Amino acid sequence: MSNDAKKPGSTGKAIEHAIEKALDPLASAIKRATQPQPVTPPPAAPGKPGLKISPLAVPFPAIPPIGGVEITTARAGFYKHERDDLTIFRFARGTTCAGVFTRHKVGSAPVDWCRRQLDAPGGGLDVRALVVNAGCANAFTGKAGADAARRTASEVAKRFGCRQRDVMLASTGVIGVLLDDKKIAARLQEVETKLDSDVPPTAQWAAAGRGIMTTDTFPKGSYAEATIDGFKVRIAGIAKGSGMIAPDMATMLGFIVTDASIHPTVLRALLGLHVRTTFNSVTVDGDTSTNDTCLLFATGASGAPRIGRVGDRRLKDFSAALDKVMLDLAHQLVRDGEGATKFVRVTVDGAASPASARKLAKSIADSPLVKTAIAGEDANWGRVVMAVGKTDEPVDRDHLAIRFGPHVAAVDGAVSPTYDEAKMSAYMKNAEIDISVDVGSGRASATVWTCDLTKGYIEINGDYRS
């Protein structure tokens, strides 16, 4: 024992030290609790800097190998910040293709290019590549834009050993900016090397989903399987779009690939059948873009028999699976609507015709007053009445009924006797909202998907070009 321990008061000091040591963890905990703690920011979106991932985002799916296609991305430099903005698909010989495009009166150069090649005799019978750039729409750029598109197709065709007409093009980004095609050409050797590398299929598709993004906050992908005459076939797709989304192919790009063997005429019929109730039934802001493109490719690598006739019964399962993929991608566009916090389904029943039902549903989904009420979690059904009545479509006012989810707001043209404001308000706090309207004029129905309209939409679009 040391001499210090024998000094008067040393025992008391030892006890005091022991108590301090025992209380130290508690003191530290109290200190941590009373001090401001660092806040972990929400994850940033992989596209434009400063955007937060949508609260309605869904994870990218696992996608197995699809024979006859390889995909890669590169940075061509259309954006100031570091990100891949060039996506290239390489297809096997004999891959067929069909497309649907924007109805905008000022179509972009890549839209004009694809239409011309696919509408030509033999168009879509042997498509070998798809080139997509983000950051520059190459729209409203006149002959110079058309020449840039042609040169891009020519350079890729030389690399892949095919004709210019067998290269599809798509662009997205700022309108009125001429595409600098030299930036694409400069990356083609790198692209070829990466296409030949061993990258897992899901990683290829996910990278492509990120590479085509503009103000999107998450990559959008979907996958499904089907059978054709006993053969399993696979379908995978990606899409982009979060603003300028309105029915009739808004500011979206969608690319779907299957390993089935299907003639371009049949692919075109399938796209026309399903696009109406999927991509053409979503709206974010009611605006339509210059560059909207949806392309469907069939590589034929599955070994399934070739389908060359529209209406072939062997396509039943495939058609349903294709619709599933397209609807999934369309829903993801709405979930990533600029500034969106609510995913909204608008259904109109009792309309005089399908076209009337669709127009009524779109009027509700496009209404800024309806959408801002949803953002404010206000079940303001009077705004729904307004949106229905302004269309000039046949509506029986005295039989009009409105529901928010399971809750009846109005019936027989007046407020419901069971209306409960507290229940309505509680329902509007959900992330997914259903609005159902019966207009009492017939038997037709239609559904349109949309999102709310928040301050975030204004913030994103107020500095879109910066």
Side-chain angles (χ1 to χ4, degrees):
M1 183 177 293
S2 68
N3 291 332
D4 289 341
K6 296 176 183 178
K7 293 178 181 178
S10 60
T11 302
K13 290 182 179 179
I15 293 173
E16 183 181 343
H17 178 72
I19 292 173
E20 289 178 354
K21 186 175 181 182
L23 291 176
D24 183 67
L26 177 60
S28 297
I30 293 172
K31 185 178 180 181
R32 286 196 302 269
T34 56
Q35 287 181 341
Q37 296 298 307
V39 177
T40 303
K48 185 177 179 179
L51 296 183
K52 300 173 184 177
I53 295 176
S54 168
L56 305 172
V58 296
F60 197 87
I63 298 179
I66 295 181
V69 59
E70 295 92 27
I71 316 169
T72 196
T73 61
R75 186 190 180 202
F78 294 109
Y79 285 95
K80 299 174 184 177
H81 56 282
E82 187 75 31
R83 59 156 288 181
D84 283 357
D85 51 15
L86 175 64
T87 302
I88 294 185
F89 291 63
R90 182 172 64 186
F91 300 105
R93 291 185 182 277
T95 294
T96 55
C97 176
V100 289
F101 305 93
T102 182
R103 295 182 185 180
H104 200 284
K105 300 302 182 184
V106 185
S108 67
V111 165
D112 291 345
W113 173 269
C114 289
R115 276 182 172 150
R116 185 163 61 252
Q117 310 316 320
L118 294 176
D119 290 344
L125 281 172
D126 187 18
V127 171
R128 302 293 306 286
L130 166 65
V131 182
V132 190
N133 75 273
C136 174
N138 197 18
F140 203 60
T141 50
K143 184 178 182 300
D147 288 342
R150 176 186 53 77
R151 287 193 299 267
T152 298
S154 176
E155 288 297 319
V156 173
K158 291 175 185 176
R159 290 278 181 177
F160 291 0
C162 62
R163 301 169 296 180
Q164 290 183 27
R165 63 177 293 176
D166 299 329
V167 178
M168 296 293 105
L169 305 174
S171 298
T172 182
V174 178
I175 295 170
V177 177
L178 178 65
L179 179 73
D180 184 354
D181 55 285
K182 292 180 181 178
K183 291 183 176 181
I184 296 177
R187 293 297 179 186
L188 292 182
Q189 184 172 351
E190 173 192 339
V191 163
E192 276 194 293
T193 301
K194 294 172 75 173
L195 283 170
D196 293 330
S197 62
D198 189 16
V199 178
T202 295
Q204 290 184 34
W205 283 96
R210 292 189 297 271
I212 64 176
M213 290 167 56
T214 51
T215 56
D216 304 66
T217 69
F218 66 91
K220 303 161 186 65
S222 188
Y223 173 77
E225 295 179 354
T227 57
I228 295 179
D229 204 19
F231 288 81
K232 183 175 78 172
V233 297
R234 293 170 169 172
I235 308 169
I238 56 172
K240 65 78 51 180
S242 57
M244 262 194 243
I245 298 290
D248 292 336
M249 297 297 298
T251 182
M252 61 144 289
L253 300 180
F255 309 114
I256 304 167
V257 182
T258 177
D259 56 7
S261 180
I262 305 176
H263 191 276
T265 302
V266 182
L267 292 179
R268 190 176 304 116
L270 287 168
L271 271 181
L273 174 66
H274 296 304
V275 76
R276 179 177 171 276
T277 54
T278 59
F279 291 131
N280 280 358
S281 289
V282 298
T283 177
V284 167
D285 49 20
D287 282 336
T288 301
S289 177
T290 55
N291 291 57
D292 315 327
T293 299
C294 180
L295 295 170
L296 173 58
F297 303 88
T299 68
S302 66
R306 186 173 180 82
I307 304 296
R309 181 176 61 85
V310 175
D312 193 314
R313 293 183 178 180
R314 294 174 294 177
L315 276 176
K316 182 179 180 181
D317 191 45
F318 178 87
S319 180
L322 177 63
D323 181 73
K324 179 182 176 182
V325 167
M326 292 173 66
L327 186 59
D328 184 16
L329 292 173
H331 284 181
Q332 291 184 52
L333 298 181
V334 172
R335 289 182 175 278
D336 204 14
E338 290 169 341
T341 65
K342 307 283 187 182
F343 178 78
V344 186
R345 179 173 64 183
V346 178
T347 302
V348 169
D349 294 308
S353 68
S356 179
R358 180 178 168 81
K359 186 174 180 180
L360 286 160
K362 184 178 181 294
S363 178
I364 298 167
D366 275 343
S367 167
L369 287 177
V370 172
K371 292 159 70 72
T372 50
I374 294 170
E377 300 181 342
D378 178 12
N380 191 338
W381 56 271
R383 292 185 177 182
V384 177
V385 173
M386 174 278 300
V388 167
K390 72 178 184 179
T391 63
D392 291 331
E393 292 299 311
V395 174
D396 187 339
R397 182 190 61 186
D398 294 333
H399 288 89
L400 186 67
I402 301 171
R403 286 186 303 160
F404 286 78
H407 308 295
V408 180
V411 65
D412 292 333
V415 63
S416 170
T418 62
Y419 182 83
D420 188 319
E421 182 70 24
K423 289 182 179 179
M424 283 287 190
S425 297
Y427 176 76
M428 296 303 291
K429 295 185 182 300
N430 292 329
E432 299 191 10
I433 304 292
D434 282 352
I435 299 176
S436 303
V437 181
D438 192 314
V439 297
S441 297
R443 297 182 177 180
S445 63
T447 300
V448 171
W449 292 268
T450 189
C451 59
D452 54 346
L453 183 59
T454 69
K455 294 178 181 178
Y457 180 87
I458 299 171
E459 292 168 356
I460 291 169
N461 284 284
D463 65 350
Y464 180 80
R465 295 198 301 168
S466 36

